[in-house]
Amino acid sequence: MIKNYFILAWRNLAKHKSSAMINIGGLALGLTTSILVMLLLVDEFSFDRFHHNIADLYLLMKNQKEADGISTGRTSAGPMALALRTQLPEVDNSSREAGAWTIAHLGDKQLTMQGLYADTGFFHMMSFPAIVGDPTQALKNPQAIILTQTTAKNLFGDDKALGATFIIDDTVPVRVAAIVRDAPANSSIRFEYIRPFEAFERKNTWLRKWDDNRIQTWVQLKPGTDVTAFDRKATAMLQTRSNDTTVTTFAMPMASLHLHSGFNNGKQKGGAIYVVSMIAILGFFVLVIACINFMNIATARSEVRAREVGVRKVMGASRRQVMAQFFCEALTITFLSLLVAIFASQAILPVFNRYLHANIHFDGLNWRVWTGLIAIGLLTGLIAGSYPALFLSRFRPAKVLKGAVTIGKKRALLRRALVTTQFWVAILFIIGTIVVWQQIDYVESRPIGYEQENLVDVHASPVLGAKYQLFADQLHKLPGVRNVSAGTDDLLNFGAGVTGMDWPGKVPGHEISILVTTVAYNWTKTAGLSLAEGRDFDPAFGTDTSACLINQSTIQRLGLKEPVVGQKLGGSTIIGVVKNFVFNNPSGIIAPMAIYLYKEAPGSGHFFVRIANDDHWRQTIASIGQVVKTLDPIHGFDYSFTKEDYRQRFEEWKSYGACATIFGGMAIFISCLGLIGLAAFVAERRSKEMSIRKVFGASIRQVLFLLSVDFLRPVLIALVLAVPVAAWALQLWLNNITWHVQLNWPVFALGGAIALFIALATVGLQGARTATENPAKNLRNE
C-alpha cells in the first residue's frame, strides 16, 4: 500500500511539473538553509567537548566592582592556582596559562610560533594526546618545549624532532621533550607550542602578587562539587590575600565558555550564543516560509485534486488512506528537495565559512549529521503536508463529482493568512538587514579621534625593541618620514587594566579599572591625537618618567575636579589630558586610560611611523624596511597600516550582515516562488472572467489591477504587522550598543516599498499574461 502511495505521488509530480518544480525549489532553498544552520549548530556546540574531563573543567574569572557597575575579566592572580589546589579540597587539579609568541631558529630556518606557558597539571586536565614523549614530565623542565605535530613537521621536516634542540627568543636554547596532536578546530585553547610556566615565572616577578591579574587559571573540580560554595571559598581567599573586598571570583564552566562568554555588570549576558540563536531563528523562519509555500500551492490546486479524492473515496478509500497518500506525496517532494539541498549546501559551504569565519564541514560519516538531516526531512514533510492532507481528505464524493467544489471564505482567508505570514517574515528580514548595514556603516564612520591615514605600525621584536632610539634616529633621516614613536599597545587594542589607584576625592571601596599603557616621546603627535589641556611628554622636563597623561573619560569616570593638570593619579602627576579616541570596541564606550612614559628602551611592542601623504609612500615603506632589516636581520620587517587594521575589525560584523542578507534574500525568493505559483492558479481560474470583462470594455490595466489586488492586500497587512515588531526587536538590539544608529521611519518605508515592489512585480508577471490573452481563445467554447 505504501509503495502504491509513493508511485502515485511520483506520477502526480510528473503530471504537474510546474507546481512540482516550484514546491521542490522552495523547499530545497529552505532545507539548504536548515542544513547550513544545523552544521553551524553542531560545530558551535561541539567546542571543547573532546576533553574527557569537560564536565569538571572551569576557567577562573573575576568580577571587579567599580563606581558605575561591575566589570568581568578572564584573568586572575598568579598565586591563585597553587593556593586553590593545596587549600581547597574541592579542587582536583589546576594550571596557570599565559599566551606567548616566539620565533624559532634552527640553522637557516626560522618559524614564528604562537604558544603558551602552562603548569604540570595542564595535560592532566586537558585532552591533547601525546604522539611521542611525556608532556606532563616535559612541563617540569624549564628548558623543555612541547610542539604540536604540524609545528614539528614545519620546523624539522622529516627529521626526528624528539630530543632535538633549537633557539627561541633569539638566545634561549630549548629541547623538544614531547610532541602532541594539533589542537582541534573546535578548541578554545589554541597553541603551536607549550613551555613550562616556570620559565615564564622566572622572568615575571609580578606573578607573586595577589592584586595583579594578567594570567588565566584553569581548575578541575571534583565530580559533584557545589560550584556556588566553591566560588564563595575562592572569593574569600582572594579578598583576604589581596586585601581588596571589591573583587570576587567565580568558576566559569569550560563547556559554556565558547558560547556564553558575554557579561554585563557582572552577570552572564550575550556572547556567541546570541549570534548562533539569531542564525538558527532566521533559518527556522526560512524553512517555515518554504512549508507555507507548499501548503498554499496544494490548497490552491484543491479543485484540480478534488475529483481524484472523490473517485478514490467512491472506490472504497477511507479518509485515513487519502491522508496517507497526501503525506506520502509531501514526503516525496520533501526528500527530493532534501537531496537537492544536500548538494547545494556542500557547494555553498566554502562561501558560508568565509562569511562567518567558520570551519564548518559536511561530515558524511557523522551519524549525528545524518540523523539531523532525516529528522529535518521528516519534520518538514509532515508540517508541509499536514494541512493539504487534512483539507483535501475532507472532500465529500457526492459534491466533488458533481463539480460543486468551492474554496469557501474560510479557506480563502486561511490562504491569505499564510501569504501574510510569509511576507511578514520577509519584511522583517528586509527591515532588519537594512538596519544592520546602517549600523555597520554608522560605526565604521564614527569619528575615531586621531589620524589613521599614513600611520604605519611596525611590530617590533625584542631585538628591534632594544634598538628603538637608533631606529628612530635613522628614520628621521628619511625624507618621507614625518614622526616616529613607540608604545606597548597598538592604537586599536589596550588590554592592561589596573585597579587600586588613588585619586583626589576617591570614595573608599569604589574601585575603577583604568587601562594603562606605556609610550615613547612624540606618541600623541605621531598618532595624530590632540591634547585637551596640559602638555605632552617632553625630554626638556626631567621628571616625566614619574608623570602621566590621561584621556577625557578618566576625568568623567573618576569625577576629577578642575584643574586636572597637577593632580595625582596612583602616585603619578597628571601633566596632560588627551582628547578621547576610539579603541578596543569601535561601538562601545571609551574606557578611562592612563599613559606613562618608557623609563628605558621598549624591548618590544609597536613602533609608530607617520609617513608623508605623497606618491612616494611605497619607496618610504621600502626604506623603513631596509632600516629594520639592518637593525634586526633575523626577524625581518613586520608592519601594517593602522587604517587597514581598523577596517578589519568590521569584517566580522559585515559577515553577519551578509549572512542576514543571504537569509533574507532566500526568504523573499521563496515567498516570490509561492506567489508565482498562486498567481498562476488564480489567473488560470479567473481567465474566463477576465476575458468577459475585456469583452465588455475593461482595459488591460484594469484587468491587471483586479488580478493583483488580492495578493497585494496580504502584503500590506504583513507590512502593518511587521513594522511594530521590527521596531521593537531592532531597538532592543540597538540598546545593547553604545554607539548606535537611530531608528527612523524612512527605514520602514523603504522596507515596505521593497516588499511591495517585489510582490507587485511577481504577481504582475502572471497577471500580465492573463490580461493580454485573446478573449476569443478562452470563450470560444462558451
Side-chain angles (χ1 to χ4, degrees), residues 10 30 86 115 131 212 216 269 311-312 412 428 462 502 526 547 635 772:
W10 181 258
T86 56
I131 298 174
D212 202 325
Q216 290 190 340
K269 184 179 181 181
V311 170
R312 286 182 64 82
L428 287 178
D502 293 323
T526 304
H635 298 98
T772 55

Side-chain angles (χ1 to χ4, degrees), residues 104-127:
H105 299 280
L106 182 66
D108 295 332
K109 184 183 289 186
Q110 66 179 36
L111 181 68
T112 302
M113 304 188 302
Q114 176 199 1
L116 53 91
Y117 293 92
D119 285 317
T120 54
F122 184 81
F123 285 100
H124 285 298
M125 300 163 61
M126 310 296 179
S127 301

Side-chain angles (χ1 to χ4, degrees), residues 231 326 386 393 419 523 678 710 715:
D231 291 344
F326 284 110
S386 60
S393 64
V419 173
W523 181 74
L678 285 174
D710 283 344
V715 177

Side-chain angles (χ1 to χ4, degrees), residues 7 249 581:
I7 291 173
T249 188
F581 64 99

Side-chain angles (χ1 to χ4, degrees), residues 571-592:
S572 298
T573 304
I574 301 171
I575 61 172
V577 178
V578 178
K579 288 185 178 179
N580 280 341
F581 64 99
V582 177
F583 55 88
N584 290 356
N585 182 1
S587 64
I589 61 172
I590 298 173

Side-chain angles (χ1 to χ4, degrees), residues 453-515:
E453 197 74 41
N454 302 308
L455 182 60
V456 181
D457 180 357
V458 179
H459 311 146
S461 67
V463 174
L464 183 63
K467 301 175 182 179
Y468 167 70
Q469 197 55 55
L470 184 58
F471 170 84
D473 291 342
Q474 292 195 25
L475 255 62
H476 280 130
K477 298 175 184 177
L478 300 178
V481 173
R482 295 292 177 261
N483 282 294
V484 182
S485 188
T488 309
D489 306 277
D490 62 36
L491 290 168
L492 308 181
N493 301 282
F494 295 85
V498 174
T499 56
M501 286 189 179
D502 293 323
W503 65 85
K506 177 182 178 181
V507 178
H510 283 224
E511 295 293 344
I512 292 179
S513 179
I514 299 174
L515 296 177

Side-chain angles (χ1 to χ4, degrees), residues 229-471:
F230 166 79
D231 291 344
R232 288 196 297 267
K233 292 181 181 179
T235 295
M237 177 187 292
L238 177 61
Q239 291 181 348
T240 302
R241 304 293 177 86
S242 64
N243 196 27
D244 184 0
T245 58
T246 65
V247 63
T248 59
T249 188
F250 64 96
M252 178 73 177
M254 189 180 191
S256 303
L257 202 58
H258 175 68
L259 290 176
H260 301 275
S261 58
F263 284 84
N264 183 24
N265 199 28
K267 301 294 183 182
Q268 196 286 318
K269 184 179 181 181
I273 189 64
Y274 273 21
V275 176
V276 171
S277 300
M278 181 192 74
I279 292 175
I281 291 170
L282 295 180
F284 171 76
F285 275 125
V286 171
L287 186 59
V288 166
I289 288 176
C291 291
I292 289 174
N293 261 4
F294 188 96
M295 295 179 189
N296 269 337
I297 293 174
T299 52
R301 295 183 62 244
S302 58
E303 291 182 20
V304 179
R305 303 297 300 272
R307 292 181 185 275
E308 175 192 341
V309 173
V311 170
R312 286 182 64 82
K313 284 192 172 184
V314 167
M315 299 298 292
S318 66
R319 184 185 179 191
R320 181 177 298 178
Q321 289 173 320
V322 174
M323 288 175 62
Q325 177 196 339
F326 284 110
F327 273 122
C328 286
E329 190 170 313
L331 288 171
T332 301
I333 292 175
T334 300
F335 278 94
L336 285 173
S337 304
L338 184 61
L339 188 63
V340 174
I342 289 172
F343 288 107
S345 60
Q346 288 182 304
I348 295 171
L349 262 179
V351 179
F352 194 70
N353 282 331
R354 186 167 65 250
Y355 275 127
L356 290 183
H357 304 287
N359 188 32
I360 305 166
H361 63 281
F362 191 99
D363 185 1
L365 300 178
N366 189 336
W367 66 269
R368 292 183 179 86
V369 172
W370 286 107
T371 301
L373 287 175
I374 294 171
I376 289 173
L378 287 173
L379 185 64
T380 303
L382 292 174
I383 292 174
S386 60
Y387 182 72
L390 294 170
F391 170 58
L392 296 174
S393 64
R394 293 179 61 185
F395 288 152
R396 295 179 181 178
K399 287 187 175 182
V400 298
L401 294 178
K402 290 180 180 179
V405 177
T406 56
I407 298 302
K409 291 184 178 180
K410 290 184 178 180
R411 303 289 185 269
L413 184 62
L414 177 61
R415 194 160 65 235
R416 289 194 189 98
L418 292 174
V419 173
T420 301
T421 303
Q422 274 188 316
F423 272 89
W424 177 76
V425 176
I427 292 168
L428 287 178
F429 272 113
I430 294 170
I431 296 173
T433 301
I434 293 171
V435 173
V436 167
W437 284 110
Q438 271 193 338
Q439 174 62 22
I440 292 170
D441 181 66
Y442 186 72
V443 176
E444 198 170 12
S445 60
R446 179 183 185 180
I448 56 176
Y450 63 98
E451 181 54 53
Q452 289 182 336
E453 197 74 41
N454 302 308
L455 182 60
V456 181
D457 180 357
V458 179
H459 311 146
S461 67
V463 174
L464 183 63
K467 301 175 182 179
Y468 167 70
Q469 197 55 55
L470 184 58
F471 170 84

